[in-house]
Every structure is written in C-alpha cells, then in structure tokens.
Amino acid sequence: MLTIKGLHNPLTGAIHQQAIEERKRPLPELTLADFLAFKRTGDRAAYEQAYFARRRRLSVFGTAWLLDPTEDNSAALADILWSVCQEPTWALPAHFFKADGDGLKAPGAFASFLDLFAAETGQTVAYLLAAAQDHLPPELTAWVRYELQRRIFTPFLTQDWQWLYRHNNWAAVCSGSIGMAALSYYSGQSPELAKILAKVSVGMQNFLAGFGPDGASEEGIDYWAYGFGYYIYFAAQLARQTGDNHYLSAPKVKLIARFPYAASLFPRYYVKFGDTPTRTPDLPSGLLSYCTRHLGAPLPAPIHYSALDKNGRFAVLLPNLAWTDEALPTTPLAAETTLATVSWRLSRRKDWALASKAGNNGVSHNHNDIGSWELLTSTMPVVTELGSGEYTRDYFDDHKRYQLLEPRSLGHSVPLINGHEQIAGVGARGTLQTPAADETIIDYAAAYPSAARVVSLTRTFLTRTNMILITDTTEFTTAENSFSEVLILPTMPLRIPGQDNCWQLAADWQLQVSAGGQSVVEKLTAQDHLGQSYHVFRLRITYQFGKTGRVMLQLSLPQTSAQRHEEDNNA
C-alpha cells in the first residue's frame, strides 16, 4: 500500500479541512425518484449529484484516516463505509438502464451490475478495508467483505462483461479498479486473485489495443487521464505487491504517457476534439509526475498538486498525495505535431496555435467532425471546438445524438454540402497528409452521404507567421450545388467596414473569404459537460457552384501585430 501516514504537503491540509467540513453536512440521500429519473425522463443530474457527494465523503474520510488514524477519523470512516454498503447499487442508473432495458425486471440485478463507478467504489472500499480493518468494528468488516464479494468479485468472475473488450477508458477503469480491489482484498497466494488478475489482463490488453504507435487517444485528454490513469494505478500496485511490472514495461506505455505533451496547444491548454469536457483540465498531478519520473514523458507545464476531483475518485487522490513532484522540469512544445493514429495535426506559433483533424466518425465519444479545426491564442479561442455537451439519455442515443449541437456536424467548422451534414460511422472518414511543415491536406469526401453529391473534397491548411489559409476544393456529380462554409466562433463576428467579405473575429484576428457567398450569423445555445448553458456563434457562408467549386478562407492578424511578430522573430 502507499504509505501516507503523517505526510505533509499542500494537499494534506486541504484533505483535513474537507474532513472537518464533511462532518458538518448531512449525507445526501439516494432517493427512488432520483434513481428512476434517468429511465423516466433521461435526467441523471439529481441522482449523480448525491451519489458523487457520497463518494467524495468516502474518499475524504478514508484519506483523512490514512493520514492520521485517530479514533474520530476511524468512526467517520466506519460510518461512511456502513452507508455506502447500504446503497442498492454502486452503479449509475444512466449505465444500468441503458444496458439492461427495464432494469428492474431481474430482482437484484442492479446490485451486481458493474460499470465504471461500481468498479471504482469497489476499489476504494477494498483498499480502505484492508488498511483500516483492525480499527473498524468486526461486524462492519465482515459485512463489507460480504458486499465486495456480492457486488464486485462474484459478478466479475461469473459474467462476461462487454467493457472487457472495448478499446477505450471503460476497459482500463473497470478492469484496473477490480484488479486493485482484488490485490487489496485477497492474499497473494489466493486462487481467486489469480483468476481475477487473469481476467483483468483481457481488459488491459484491449485498452492498450486502442492506442496506435504514437500513443494518441481519440477520446481526448480527459479520457486519457481517466483510462490511462487507472491503468497506471493498477499496474503500479501490482508491481509493488508482486514484483510483476509487465504492464509498466509494455512498449506502448511510454508512448501513451507522452500524450498530454503531444496534445498541448499551449502549456495547460489542450486540443478539444470530441467529448473533451474542458480545454484546461486539472490533470492528476500524481499521474503526470509518475509518467515523467518513471516513463520519461516530457512535461509542457509545471506540476502542481491536484485536489480531489468532483467525482471523489480515491484511486486518483492517493497518488496525487504520494507521487506528486512539483520540481520536475518542463520541456518546450514543438512547432509541429502530427498524431497519425488519430489523424490530428497541431501547429504552434508564439502567440497562436492551430489544430485540425481527419480520422473517422465512428470513434469512441464520436463527433461528426472530419476536417474540423480550431484556432487559439494563448488566452482564448478564435475558432473553437465545443467539446462535450451534457451527458443525458439522448446524448448517448445514436438516433438522437446527432441532432444535438455538440456532436453533430453543424456544431463544428466543417461544410454543409447540398443541405447535408456529415454522417456517423467508421465508413465516414477522411485522410490527413502533411507534405510540408506548413501544409496539411485533408481528403474528406467520404464523411458525407451520397445525397450530398460529392465526388471529391479536399481541405488544405497553409500556415505562415501571421496568417492561415484554408482552401476547400470540391467536385460534384451534378451541375447545380450548394456549399456552405461553417465556422463555430466564441464571439460575434463583425463585418469590417469598407472591406468586402471580411470579418473581425476574437483576439484581433480577421477573416477574409472568397467573394460570391451569402452569409448568415446564428447565435446558438450550447450546453457544457456540467449542463451549464453558454452562447456561441455559427457563421455560415453559402456558395452556389457548378460541377466544381473552391472556397478560400484567410485568417490573419492585423498589420501591427504582424510587424510585432516579425520584430520578435528577428530579435
């Protein structure tokens, strides 16, 4: 086990204070109405707000005891373990009802359902039981052991879980959590432990299979931290307890560890493709420290202690306490990065960065966004990606998902062709080429349905010191066609007086487009991952073409800024 008793650092004080505050608050109740709300209305917020408040209390009280095992801390830990073990299920209704239809038709089925959060809870409970069992009432420890068998180990061994075969975060989080729980619960010679670890290996191998030779993740930086974090937490515990470090020495692992560096546009400022909740996540400081110290991953920004996350993940908090090293050196970002596995290209300059993507529209947490791009300064986006919307029932219903702004094609800076958006599926794809350091070419006709009447479609990016030129070249099957350029913008674009086809964008950037288009600006309401509404703007410029068409978009900084850049470069 990681020893943190008596540890003092900036995070330990926060944990002690959180424990004091938690004792003053009543424990949120998990009501039947909230439990059934997802099935009845699609709402998951109320139940999950109470659920994760309980998980935060479990992690805070457990960590407070590990830091300082007083009688008061023992009593607080015992009470929260007692309460958590009375819950009807450790899984979320949003996962259970989606997976099991009516859900309640099999009595007790939800109690043994293993999703991300049931597995995470099992890991936390098993670790704290092993650490504190001599300080807890024997009646409680016996019951907790029974519940771990009933809710975690027996269903894991007796059922074939779909997430074992996924090439995404589910495989690592569920498998890693259950593996850590088993390492805490069973003795080293237990045959049950051997069976569990063998099955955990299936999930871990499938998780690694989701990464290509460049270590990139199509799920984005947050899900990298989630999935790869649990992979590392499990692998490190296995190595500590058994000496088996084969998960840590797998060839891909060092490459995957580099992903935060590769996906950075600026230090602490990441690409926001797909269901990425935020551009500036607080990545776990323990995980980043481990990746740098043990796996040689470069750091784009200094590390600072990460607090307990909003979901109360104990498996993340403990390494943050024990592994974080704020003295690790940083490495400057490269001017260009191409991640061929996910078909991303990142171009970085002193004051701005450009990210573009190809790939396919059938990836995990998919958005219909082949050819999409974003332009950012070091402080704000100019042309933006929305990232994930609020996770509701409709958001994960394939029949309704692409009617929502965030995942649909019209929520991205990609064309609308003959009235048609891009379609979902692995067959809807694009290829990315980088013939020169300042040039990116995306071929993405296959992202559109046959009704769009597209024979070929290429998007070319040319970058200069103070200018970006984007050209869309299209060939059609018919002689009369409509082609709409779409830009998703964080601020209202304003026409520049006296300059035809020119717009003022955020951060002093200007946009000039090919003549002949009809433009419209739409103010849209988006939902962030937490369900908070905000406004963005969609600039749509529509052209009428014959059998071929070409549109050019030129984005540039004003002359004064360009001159300043040139002076800096020549200094």
Side-chain angles (χ1 to χ4, degrees):
M1 289 193 168
L2 289 176
T3 301
I4 62 170
K5 182 179 178 181
L7 187 67
H8 292 284
N9 60 44
L11 185 51
T12 60
I15 293 298
H16 288 306
Q17 185 58 41
Q18 283 179 281
I20 293 170
E21 296 300 321
E22 282 291 344
R23 289 189 179 94
K24 299 176 183 177
R25 290 191 285 263
L27 184 66
E29 183 181 0
L30 298 176
T31 68
L32 178 62
D34 289 341
F35 179 82
L36 295 174
F38 180 80
K39 180 183 178 183
R40 293 172 174 173
T41 69
D43 177 68
R44 57 192 287 179
Y47 186 87
E48 292 182 14
Q49 182 178 1
Y51 176 98
F52 289 122
R54 295 166 72 97
R55 292 305 176 271
R56 289 193 296 272
R57 181 170 295 192
L58 175 63
S59 292
V60 167
F61 284 171
T63 306
W65 184 88
L66 291 170
L67 290 167
D68 187 14
T70 64
E71 288 188 11
D72 285 347
N73 285 338
S74 296
L77 175 58
D79 282 343
I80 188 59
L81 285 171
W82 173 259
S83 296
V84 167
C85 286
Q86 293 182 68
E87 294 173 358
T89 176
W90 288 345
L92 292 185
H95 294 153
F96 180 80
F97 286 120
K98 181 180 179 182
D100 198 36
D102 291 338
L104 296 176
K105 61 188 177 185
F110 53 79
S112 59
F113 186 79
L114 290 175
D115 71 346
L116 296 164
F117 303 106
E120 287 182 27
T121 301
Q123 181 275 328
T124 307
V125 169
Y127 190 100
L128 294 174
L129 175 66
Q133 58 187 334
D134 293 340
H135 302 263
L136 299 171
E139 297 83 359
L140 174 63
T141 60
W143 187 39
V144 172
R145 286 185 172 277
Y146 168 77
E147 290 299 314
L148 284 167
Q149 286 287 349
R150 182 174 75 98
R151 297 172 185 261
I152 302 296
F153 302 128
T154 297
F156 180 63
L157 288 174
T158 58
Q159 299 182 51
D160 194 24
W161 296 94
Q162 182 186 26
W163 43 256
L164 281 168
Y165 310 102
R166 293 183 181 178
H167 296 166
N168 65 13
N169 68 89
W170 275 74
V173 175
C174 295
S175 300
S177 293
I178 293 169
M180 286 186 280
L183 287 166
S184 297
Y185 185 93
Y186 292 103
S187 68
Q189 303 304 314
S190 168
E192 287 80 7
L193 176 60
K195 292 177 185 177
I196 290 172
L197 293 181
K199 197 166 185 178
V200 164
S201 179
V202 175
M204 291 307 190
Q205 291 175 28
N206 280 309
F207 173 70
L208 289 183
F211 293 87
D214 55 15
S217 171
E218 64 195 13
E219 294 189 292
I221 192 64
D222 284 85
Y223 283 109
W224 171 89
Y226 193 24
F228 191 58
Y230 274 81
Y231 179 95
I232 291 295
Y233 306 143
F234 163 72
Q237 184 174 345
L238 181 69
R240 284 195 307 273
Q241 292 185 211
T242 70
D244 179 356
N245 69 347
H246 80 278
Y247 288 109
L248 296 172
S249 60
K252 274 187 185 179
V253 169
K254 287 188 175 182
L255 296 168
I256 297 170
R258 295 175 59 91
F259 184 63
Y261 178 81
S264 295
L265 292 167
F266 294 97
R268 297 198 182 91
Y269 212 27
Y270 296 92
V271 174
K272 204 180 178 186
F273 293 138
D275 271 348
T276 300
T278 175
R279 193 179 300 286
T280 55
D282 183 18
L283 298 182
S285 56
L287 175 62
L288 292 178
S289 297
Y290 191 97
C291 288
T292 297
R293 188 185 302 112
H294 297 286
L295 301 174
L299 276 177
I303 289 178
H304 301 294
Y305 280 91
S306 300
L308 179 66
D309 69 25
K310 62 183 178 61
N311 290 347
R313 293 187 175 96
F314 176 78
V316 180
L317 177 62
L318 200 57
N320 287 349
L321 282 160
W323 294 350
T324 298
D325 183 353
E326 295 186 319
L328 290 170
T330 60
T331 302
L333 293 167
E336 305 288 339
T337 299
T338 300
L339 295 170
T341 299
V342 293
S343 296
W344 294 2
R345 179 73 182 274
L346 283 67
S347 299
R348 307 176 185 90
R349 301 298 182 264
K350 179 182 178 184
D351 296 318
W352 59 268
L354 172 72
S356 57
K357 74 179 297 291
N360 72 77
N361 285 339
V363 302
S364 179
H365 288 274
N366 181 66
H367 288 204
N368 288 344
D369 60 354
I370 307 305
S372 193
W373 56 284
E374 54 179 359
L375 170 65
L376 304 100
T377 72
S378 60
T379 58
M380 66 183 302
V382 179
V383 178
T384 193
E385 284 283 297
L386 302 180
S388 68
E390 183 183 10
Y391 284 5
T392 62
R393 182 174 59 189
D394 288 353
Y395 200 83
F396 289 98
D397 182 337
D398 289 342
H399 298 292
K400 298 178 180 179
R401 178 179 179 87
Y402 300 107
Q403 300 171 24
L404 302 174
L405 175 63
E406 295 80 15
R408 73 184 300 175
S409 178
L410 275 172
H412 299 273
S413 297
V414 298
L416 180 73
I417 305 177
N418 284 318
H420 291 278
E421 299 180 55
Q422 294 185 12
I423 55 176
V426 294
R429 60 177 55 249
T431 60
L432 184 146
Q433 301 176 26
T434 56
D438 61 357
E439 184 178 13
T440 303
I441 300 174
I442 296 175
D443 183 340
Y444 62 126
Y448 289 85
S450 58
R453 307 195 297 275
V454 177
V455 175
S456 66
L457 173 62
T458 59
R459 169 165 281 184
T460 302
F461 298 85
L462 292 174
T463 57
R464 300 292 184 264
T465 300
N466 64 314
M467 186 268 288
I468 301 165
L469 181 63
I470 302 172
T471 304
D472 276 324
T473 305
T474 315
E475 182 182 353
F476 302 93
T477 61
T478 59
E480 295 183 1
N481 299 281
S482 167
F483 186 97
S484 298
E485 287 287 2
V486 174
L487 281 79
I488 303 299
L489 307 169
T491 60
M492 169 78 81
L494 301 173
R495 284 193 178 276
I496 298 175
Q499 298 186 46
D500 293 339
N501 308 309
C502 291
W503 303 79
Q504 184 68 55
L505 306 182
D508 292 333
W509 281 80
Q510 294 178 358
L511 168 69
Q512 183 175 358
V513 303
S514 297
Q518 299 295 315
S519 62
V520 61
V521 176
E522 304 163 274
K523 184 178 182 180
L524 308 173
T525 300
Q527 303 286 328
D528 69 14
H529 188 61
L530 299 177
Q532 300 298 311
S533 297
Y534 65 100
H535 293 301
V536 293
F537 299 86
R538 183 165 57 205
L539 173 60
R540 207 187 312 198
I541 308 166
T542 302
Y543 299 85
Q544 302 303 318
F545 290 141
K547 293 206 71 173
T548 62
R550 175 175 292 181
V551 180
M552 300 179 71
L553 310 176
Q554 179 177 298
L555 296 106
S556 58
L557 287 167
Q559 188 62 32
T560 53
S561 293
Q563 291 171 342
R564 187 163 59 249
H565 289 315
E566 187 171 353
E567 291 172 0
D568 290 342
N569 291 335
N570 293 333

